[in-house]
Amino acid sequence: GCAALAGILQIVAGSAGMGKLIRLVPHPVMVGFVNGLTLVMLKAQLTHFQSAGKYLSVLSAEGRATYGCALLTMALVKFGIPKLQEKIEAAKAIPPTLGGVILSAMAAKYFAWPVKTLADVAGSETFRGGLAILPRLGLPSSFWAPLMSAPLKTVKIILPYAITMAAVGSIESLLTLQLLDGIVDDGKRGSTRKEVVGQGIGNLAAGLTGGIGGCALIGQSIINAQSGGGISRLSGMSMATFLALGIVSFAPLLGQIPIVALAGVMLLVCQSTFSWSSLRLWGKIPKLDYLIILLVSYVTVAEDLAKAVLIGTITSALGFAWKQSTSISYTISTTSLNPRNGMPRLPNIKCYNLNGPLFFGSAQQFSSLFNAKEDPETIVIDFSQSRVFDHSALEAINNLADRYGNLGKRVYLRRLSSDCAKLLAKVHDGGLPPYEIIEVDPGKDPIYGIAEKSELYSDVPVAKAG
């Protein structure tokens, strides 16, 4: 039931286009995700070299066989089979990972190495094969019984887990999708909508047939891409098909594969997945970005991926907002002014030339730049090198003008976009006061919209170029 509910949530989220939100994940979070997930995979593989919680001794027969089988697989995958493929064209039909595992399994069987096999770990019943192991089509009783007896209680219990499962699965799959787009680099980009919806359909089908949910596996995906399968959309479907055929038809043979042979392949995946270049970034990128990489990696290992990405993205966004909020500044110059009331041109008017963005984070800093009591009767604020972003910025401008107006002084606002000028009048009670004047110059005024969706501004059109 939990997997089915998670699948429904993913279908709804994917259909609503929420997969596009992955674009908001900063690069440091992406690097931290890759490194953290690599450490999780590494930790999982190292358990296969342990017995009773301790690492096997190389002096024991089991230890020598275990470490030797893993090293043999790694050597074949990394060096042996690629060298063979360079000399024999037909050998290119076999992926190095598959060839390495098969040869290691044959060596372990021939020399009778005391290594654990898949059948030893999962149980011989799992690898009995035959059509009997296929799931039955139809809704299992485990799905219907709780819903029929206590529907609200059941949903209340499984909903938090379903949300977590849907979030973790979607985030990991979308980040893996971005990673593979960079590895394959064929000029095409994967569809976030199809990825989330497709995964939701799969989880829904798994839950309704008594299976468990799942998502994209970064290790398996990288193996697939490095083996040449990443260039075709059929590669993932082919993998699933051959896996199903293997479990049904060749399960006893698969059960004889040493678990450490597969662990050796995964260790190579860890080595190639980990962003080693990130270790050399200290002092070369902003410290906050580097700390985000470490933070996301730690939370991924200690907690889960969804929390790691959420914490990393929020930290990065807050850091960016703080940096931008402290970047607003000004320079003082003098300018001439043409009053609207037909008065003669006014020379040598004090002008504040703003630099940096004006938004909710910098609104307070913006207000502190001015000294209304000491400024002359008329000043100009030039926004040529600044930009007004949101409602907080509009309020800050109006409040500043009110400070000057209360002292009998006037403020001229220069180089604001047309819709920004209209919104300032909308926000201020009763429209713009006589002491807050906006200079309009269609030939020089910038064109941009304000990030404001309130119904109060629904009748204010956003200016467009041309």
Side-chain angles (χ1 to χ4, degrees):
C2 183
L5 182 56
I8 294 174
L9 294 175
Q10 287 180 315
I11 293 173
V12 173
S15 300
M18 295 182 66
K20 295 180 180 179
L21 295 177
I22 202 68
R23 300 173 184 173
L24 300 178
V25 177
H27 185 68
V29 176
M30 180 70 178
V31 175
F33 150 76
V34 171
N35 289 351
L37 216 55
T38 301
L39 295 176
V40 172
M41 290 191 297
L42 177 62
K43 183 179 178 181
Q45 303 314 309
L46 293 180
T47 59
H48 300 304
F49 300 91
Q50 298 175 357
S51 179
K54 296 182 179 181
Y55 286 100
L56 297 171
S57 172
V58 293
L59 301 179
S60 65
E62 183 182 3
R64 290 194 299 270
T66 299
Y67 294 121
C69 185
L71 290 173
L72 174 62
T73 305
M74 296 171 69
L76 288 171
V77 173
K78 192 74 175 179
F79 306 107
I81 296 180
K83 289 290 184 181
L84 182 64
Q85 290 176 336
E86 292 178 0
K87 298 179 179 180
I88 304 176
E89 186 68 23
K92 294 182 179 180
I94 301 177
T97 50
L98 177 61
V101 170
I102 292 176
L103 292 177
S104 295
M106 293 173 62
K109 189 70 174 178
Y110 180 80
F111 293 106
W113 288 343
V115 293
K116 292 182 179 179
T117 63
L118 291 176
D120 295 330
V121 175
S124 57
E125 185 68 15
T126 305
F127 291 91
R128 71 182 188 274
L131 297 177
I133 67 171
L134 294 177
R136 295 181 180 179
L137 297 179
L139 301 178
S141 59
S142 61
F143 180 86
W144 279 117
L147 287 177
M148 295 299 292
S149 60
L152 294 179
K153 182 179 179 180
T154 301
V155 172
K156 185 178 179 180
I157 293 174
I158 67 175
L159 182 60
Y161 299 101
I163 293 174
T164 301
M165 179 179 174
V168 172
S170 299
I171 292 173
E172 181 172 351
S173 298
L174 292 174
L175 291 177
T176 301
L177 178 65
Q178 287 189 335
L179 181 65
L180 292 178
D181 281 339
I183 292 176
V184 177
D185 194 21
D186 59 353
K188 301 178 182 179
R189 308 294 294 181
S191 170
T192 57
R193 183 188 299 270
K194 293 179 180 179
E195 182 70 27
V196 178
V197 172
Q199 186 179 132
I201 294 173
N203 283 332
L204 177 60
L208 295 179
T209 55
I212 61 175
C215 66
L217 299 176
I218 186 171
Q220 192 174 36
S221 299
I222 290 178
I223 291 175
N224 184 43
Q226 292 177 343
S227 299
I231 62 175
S232 173
R233 295 181 179 180
L234 296 176
S235 59
M237 299 171 61
S238 301
M239 182 278 299
T241 301
F242 286 119
L243 180 60
L245 289 175
I247 292 296
V248 173
S249 304
F250 307 102
L253 287 177
L254 294 177
Q256 300 304 309
I257 295 177
I259 191 71
V260 288
L262 301 178
V265 173
M266 290 305 301
L267 289 176
L268 288 177
V269 171
C270 292
Q271 180 269 329
S272 61
T273 303
F274 190 85
S275 179
W276 297 100
S277 60
S278 64
L279 302 178
R280 302 190 297 270
L281 293 178
W282 179 257
K284 299 179 180 179
I285 61 175
K287 292 182 180 179
L288 178 62
D289 289 346
Y290 198 86
L291 291 177
I292 289 174
I293 294 176
L294 298 179
L295 176 63
V296 173
S297 299
Y298 171 77
V299 178
T300 300
V301 176
E303 298 290 337
D304 62 61
L305 177 63
K307 291 181 181 178
V309 173
L310 182 62
I311 292 174
T313 302
I314 292 176
T315 304
S316 182
L318 291 177
F320 176 79
W322 173 257
K323 184 176 180 180
Q324 294 298 314
S325 69
T326 58
S327 65
I328 191 167
S329 61
Y330 70 92
T331 58
I332 297 293
S333 64
T334 58
T335 184
S336 58
L337 196 60
N338 291 319
R340 295 180 178 177
N341 53 11
M343 294 178 61
R345 186 179 182 86
L346 301 177
N348 300 322
I349 301 298
K350 184 177 182 179
C351 180
Y352 286 86
N353 302 285
L354 287 183
N355 295 282
L358 181 54
F359 66 112
F360 68 90
S362 60
Q364 185 175 358
Q365 177 72 10
F366 165 79
S367 299
S368 66
L369 298 177
F370 302 87
N371 191 333
K373 292 182 179 181
E374 296 183 2
D375 277 342
E377 297 296 318
T378 302
I379 68 165
V380 174
I381 304 178
D382 192 327
F383 289 85
S384 297
Q385 302 301 319
S386 181
R387 178 168 174 172
V388 180
F389 278 95
D390 57 12
H391 188 187
S392 298
L394 298 173
E395 291 288 354
I397 295 173
N398 279 337
N399 291 337
L400 178 66
D402 289 341
R403 282 167 51 192
Y404 280 88
N406 292 335
L407 296 174
K409 300 179 180 181
R410 292 172 296 177
V411 177
Y412 284 80
L413 305 176
R414 179 177 292 175
R415 300 293 179 266
L416 289 174
S417 68
S418 60
D419 72 308
C420 180
K422 294 175 182 177
L423 290 177
L424 282 171
K426 285 278 186 179
V427 171
H428 204 290
D429 292 337
L432 288 180
Y435 51 78
E436 184 176 357
I437 304 109
I438 299 176
E439 290 187 338
V440 178
D441 187 348
K444 295 182 179 180
D445 287 343
I447 298 175
Y448 58 81
I450 306 297
E452 179 59 70
K453 298 297 184 182
S454 172
E455 294 180 358
L456 178 64
Y457 310 140
S458 60
D459 60 337
V460 178
V462 176
K464 297 182 180 180

